Structures are given as C-alpha cells and as structure tokens.
Amino acid sequence: MEIKPINAIVYNQEIVDMDKVVAPPYDVITSEYCDELYERDPFNIVRLILTKGDNRYEDAKNYYEKWLLKGVLIKTKKPSIFYMIQKYTTESGRKIERKGFIARNKIESFESKKILPHEYTMGGPKADRLKLTKAIRANLSQIFMVYSDPLMTIENKVLPKYINQKPYIDVVDDNNVEHIVYLIDDEKDIKIIQDTLSDKTLLIADGHHRYETAMNYSKECDDVEAQYVMSYFTNAQDDNLIIFPTHRIITKDIDPSYIMEAVKKYYDVDKMPFEASNKNEVKKEFLEKIEESNKTRITTGLYLKNDNAFYILKLKDKMTDLIDAPDVLKKLDLVVLHELIITKELNYTKDEQMAQQGIKYIKQEFEAFDAIDNNKASASFIMAYPKMKDITDISSQGYRMPQKSTYFYPKLLSGIVINPLHK
C-alpha cells in the first residue's frame, strides 16, 4: 500500500483550546450533542463536519475559508504523519493504549484486493459526504484502517523516538478517552512507515461510507491529492485493538416463552438464575461465560422480559447446515442468530432488519440490559466480542459481514488534522 505524509492543515493551538474544538465522527453525533458542540466553541470542527441550516455545504465552506484566513487553521511546516495513542479504561478496569498513525493512502478499488471492506454501506450518507467533500475539498475525518505486521516495526523503530517528547496534541474527549498525538516530519521515520506498509493489505475497520465517498470524489477530480485519502492505521497484532460487539434487541412485543422455545431448537441452553441481591455478580459471570464458551463454540447470551435469569446459548452441532450462506460467514454468531432466530423463527423481513424496525442494534452492554429491565424490549441477545481473524477471513474472500457487526472503540476524533485535496 502506498502511504504518504499529509500536507496538513491543523488548528492553531495559540488561538484555540483543542479540548473545545475536536468532535467525534459525524455519524455518532446526535442533534442534541451537535447543539452542545456548537455552543462549546465557535471554531469547533462540528461546524464543518455537521453544519446546521439550509445551506449546509456552502456554510461549511465559508467557515473553513474564514478560519484559514483568520489563522485559526494553519499549515504544518512540512508534510507530516501524526502518531496517536488513545488511552482509556474499560468497564472491567483494564487500561488500554491503542496505537496508530494518521497519514494518506492511495485510493484503490476493492477489486484490487489491496483494501478490503467488511461491512455494507447505504447511499444516503455517501451522497451527503460527497457534497461536503466537493464544497470544502478536504478530508475532515479519517478512515480507520487495520494492517498486519507481526514484527511491530513502527512500534519498535519509530515510536520510541517520540514517546518521551512533549505531545503535539493531548486532548481528552467526552468519553474520557485521552488522545496523545506526536507529529512525525522526519523523512527517515516517514520512510520506515512507508516501507513497512508497502506490501500490506488494508482492512477498513470503520469509515466505509467515507472511503467510498473518497473513491467517488477521486473519479471526479483530477488533482493528484484527490487520489489519496486520510486514514488512521493500526496494527492488527496490537493487543489493545479491541472490537466490541453490537447487541440485538427485540423491541417487537413477542412472548418470551415463544422466543425461548424457538431458541431451544438450535441451541443448548444453560440457565443462570439470579436474585435482586446478586444480579450484578451473576451478570458479570454471565458475560465471562459467553466469551469463554465462544472460544470453541458459537455462543450468544439471552436476557428475556419478566424472567429473573440469564441464558447462555450454545449452538448445537450441524445447525449451520440449515443456513444458506458461504462457510466463512457461518462462523459468525450474528449470521447464525439472524438467519435461524430473527428471520426464520421471529419472522423479521430483511427490510425490517436493515431499517431496525422492531429490532435495535445497540453497542453498549448496559443499554441492552436496561431495555429489558425498563420493559422496553422482549429480549436482548448479548453477542460475543468479534474476532479479528473472522473479519479478515471474510473480507479476504470477498464477503462482507452483517449490518452493524463490529464496533471499533474508541472512535477517531475529527479536528486532529485536515487533509486538503488540492494544491
């Protein structure tokens, strides 16, 4: 993969407070949170990535050009790569330090097999992002790419030189994730990064809509810069690369006993009853057992309305023979759940599943449990953590995972760096 440093446009930290101007990607910003970010600072990046009003794209362009004229946004002295460490603590107390870097990569078609998608995209977001890209002529957010380097070359040869220096940027986001950024403009270090990725295939972990937007823009624009896109790259061998599951919540009013009878056709079921006094303790054991069992057998958790128990669902032998799908997809707990239970037994249409009608896809575990506790759902299917190997196997064979299969956390902040798509 061809990698290049960025002819970067960045916030002028002598004028702005970085904590107040960064924002998450546009697709996770609610309307209420957007208002909050607007009020937080007049130069918050949300005014570019999610402009409000009737003339959104023109207004975003005007903001961008004014900020450049005022010196709120400035160019770095040299083309640079931005090495970033994201620090946070999981709910279980584990301290995570995910490492990666922001640079440009050559835009390649999926047919080239140099860049692999793993999820499907929808037309609406791509049309929106393309209009914004045409207006501003810049990448405002990164695509999240994963590569594989068991030698950990960049981590061992480049990072030690910078890790004890004062960071170029150090911000804490609203989820209490610290983003520590080091600017790399030394040509020798940049070459090590370029050489390391020169023979690598990239997997799109997050940002499929943004990547396909970049592909479309590159076909319409002759500028050399437009043939590259800004991405964040992390090593699949990093133990701190954690993929969170997205749980399935049945919001349609379905008798829990019917759901249980349907489940028993395909899964062996272990019941874990609880009392109010020990519910949290049993819940922790429940989540641990899902992960442990899923190492050797497709396993899903189940929590039903009006039932003081958690259930471990272990797929019976030969049940995947009932699924009409490629073998590589049959290894996924989500494919099994959707095909055998949600579609076949609970009679959801594919359109209903895609539009989340009567079913919700929820990233946070506590929301999946709260939906039952607050009587807002009939059942919550608790999914196991996805395996990076499964994602890679599926993508390399030309297939894609079901909608909302993976959740790479933490999200990448917008506002760290902007990549102009013109000279």
Side-chain angles (χ1 to χ4, degrees), residues 47 51 79-80 82 107 116 163 253 294 324 331 411:
R47 293 174 185 261
T51 318
S80 305
F82 297 76
I107 295 171
L116 305 175
I163 198 71
D253 188 15
N294 194 58
D324 182 17
K331 297 189 297 181
K411 291 287 187 176

Side-chain angles (χ1 to χ4, degrees), residues 149-162:
D149 177 26
L151 297 177
M152 308 289 280
T153 307
I154 297 169
E155 294 86 344
N156 292 327
K157 291 187 176 181
V158 178
L159 183 58
K161 179 177 175 181
Y162 297 88

Side-chain angles (χ1 to χ4, degrees), residues 320 323-332 335 394 397 399:
T320 55
I323 299 173
D324 182 17
D327 288 343
V328 70
L329 286 172
K330 292 180 183 182
K331 297 189 297 181
L332 289 183
V335 170
I394 290 165
Q397 293 185 39
Y399 300 109

